[in-house]
Amino acid sequence: MIRKKICVANWKMNKNFIESNDFLKKITQKDLSSNSCELVICPSYDSLFLFNKLNPQLSLGAQDVSYLNSPSSTGEISVDMLTSHNCKYVIIGHSERRESLNETNESVSLKMKEIYNSQIIPILCIGEKLDEKLGKLTYKVLEKQITKAFSKINFKSEKDVLIAYEPVWAIGTGQAAGHNEIKQNMKLIKKIINNIYTNNCNIYLLYGGSVNENNASEIINIDNVDGFLIGSASLEVNSFYKIFKQL
Ligand code: 13P
């Protein structure tokens, strides 16, 4: 089955619920109907509730989830809680969490296990740092991140998983990866996925890292790119909408 392109806003720690509400009011005044692209917003946890009553043209995602399944886990948010907010997606393993919050390939694999058996679709973030790219370690890094993330699950053919390839050096820098580099690394990711799957689930690949309204149409046409994970250009209604309209 051909899936729609997917345009995901990762708002990170931006927008309190008043600002989120303001964005939602503005974007829902626009024509969000599309046969070719699904729009997804991942706000902070405190704004999730705003989406419960929203129109079906906007899907909801969370930015993280706990792998602990004991209620004695102060400050954590469970898969069940996200499900009760009608979250369709959840981001795991974002490089900012890997970098600043001790997210490891092991903790990502525990999160993947929790999500995989729920209704929620994981958005697994992977990507190499600049020194890894320069040291020609990109394949090794991506292989480890992917293999480890799926190491605790039993594949199901009906399950969707999104993998967001976000080169760390391209995030928030205004400098997206180049056409050939994205093409080559998406191909590597496909190869890694094919190597580890015996029973395929449905994998779709997103690109993230300085996507904006000027480079979106070129990047979306690169082989194997099924959509975007967007940070700063998703914070402003008009720029996010302009990207969506190109998909
Ligand atoms: P930017 O689009 O701001 O580079 O952020 C990308 C990102 O980290 C999305 O998860």
Side-chain angles (χ1 to χ4, degrees), residues 10 12 94 96 125 166 170-173 208-211 229-233:
N10 175 12
K12 309 186 179 182
H94 194 281
E96 288 160 4
C125 295
E166 301 201 299
I171 294 177
T173 59
S210 297
V211 174
L229 184 56
I230 307 171
S232 47

